[in-house]
Amino acid sequence: HNMFMKFNKDDILWWWGRQDAFEKAAEQYKEQEFVIAYHETLYLDCGLGNLVGNGSWCGTYKTWKNVYNTQMPNNDRVIGASVVLFSELINDENIESVIWPRTSSLSEVVWSNQKEVYETKIVNRLGAQSYRLMQRGLRSSPITTQACLRDIKSCFKDYRI
């Protein structure tokens, strides 16, 4: 008995689930391409608590570094990735600062041919992107403190992340 849904060959599937469970889906749906959203690193609601003020079922807050460390599967049928954000504790006042700059971090992972592995360079780029967003009137959470952005090597080392 096959309990999986049937899809057309040209359907693109959005995978939201555990990273270690993706390969089973890819095996089941051999003809489809995927956009992935791992809840371990790409579920932005994590760490915000729940509707009654208790902890999140999905663990701690996912920082820009958690997002950046998302491991894209070695699978030619994965054509992208997305973050996930529901609206339990999101409103017009905080949505942008919850999304930015963590989505900028994911963009680097998905759209770059090779991940930059030196933390100082990543922080420089993400800090500059956050600044550009704020200059355009968007609310973006800081990457780090202003002092660290002015003297990045005092806070971050040139090591591979």
Side-chain angles (χ1 to χ4, degrees):
H1 169 45
N2 186 349
M3 51 192 244
F4 290 96
M5 296 178 66
K6 301 287 185 203
F7 294 99
N8 294 322
K9 183 177 182 176
D10 60 345
D11 288 342
I12 297 172
L13 306 183
W14 183 65
W15 170 257
W16 181 44
R18 289 187 339 268
Q19 188 167 343
D20 63 359
F22 171 72
E23 288 307 319
K24 183 175 182 181
E27 288 172 18
Q28 179 65 35
Y29 300 108
K30 294 181 189 308
E31 297 180 335
Q32 284 75 29
E33 294 178 315
F34 291 88
V35 173
I36 59 165
Y38 298 141
H39 67 68
E40 298 99 328
T41 57
L42 301 175
Y43 186 28
L44 301 185
D45 287 289
C46 297
L48 298 178
N50 66 18
L51 69 151
V52 295
N54 295 327
S56 297
W57 68 268
C58 56
T60 60
Y61 184 84
K62 306 307 181 217
T63 67
W64 66 266
K65 193 182 289 188
N66 297 126
V67 173
Y68 194 90
N69 284 324
T70 297
Q71 296 297 311
M72 295 295 289
N74 188 12
N75 187 318
D76 291 340
R77 293 184 299 129
V78 174
I79 61 171
S82 72
V83 297
V84 179
L85 180 67
F86 292 104
S87 61
E88 293 100 340
L89 297 173
I90 304 300
N91 60 30
D92 291 343
E93 299 303 316
N94 72 347
I95 188 166
E96 292 171 354
S97 63
V98 170
I99 292 172
W100 301 110
R102 297 184 288 169
T103 52
S104 297
S105 187
L106 179 62
S107 296
E108 287 216 1
V109 172
V110 175
W111 293 339
S112 298
N113 288 332
Q114 181 178 359
K115 279 178 48 171
E116 177 66 58
V117 293
Y118 293 101
E119 192 173 47
T120 54
K121 292 179 181 181
I122 298 164
V123 172
N124 266 329
R125 282 196 308 275
L126 292 177
Q129 175 65 5
S130 185
Y131 179 76
R132 281 189 294 274
L133 291 168
M134 289 185 286
Q135 291 296 102
R136 290 176 171 93
L138 295 168
R139 296 178 188 113
S140 178
S141 293
I143 294 293
T144 187
T145 67
Q146 290 297 316
C148 287
L149 286 175
R150 280 191 295 276
D151 182 16
I152 203 154
K153 289 191 178 186
S154 69
C155 298
F156 297 94
K157 304 300 176 213
D158 251 348
Y159 67 91
R160 300 169 78 84
I161 64 169

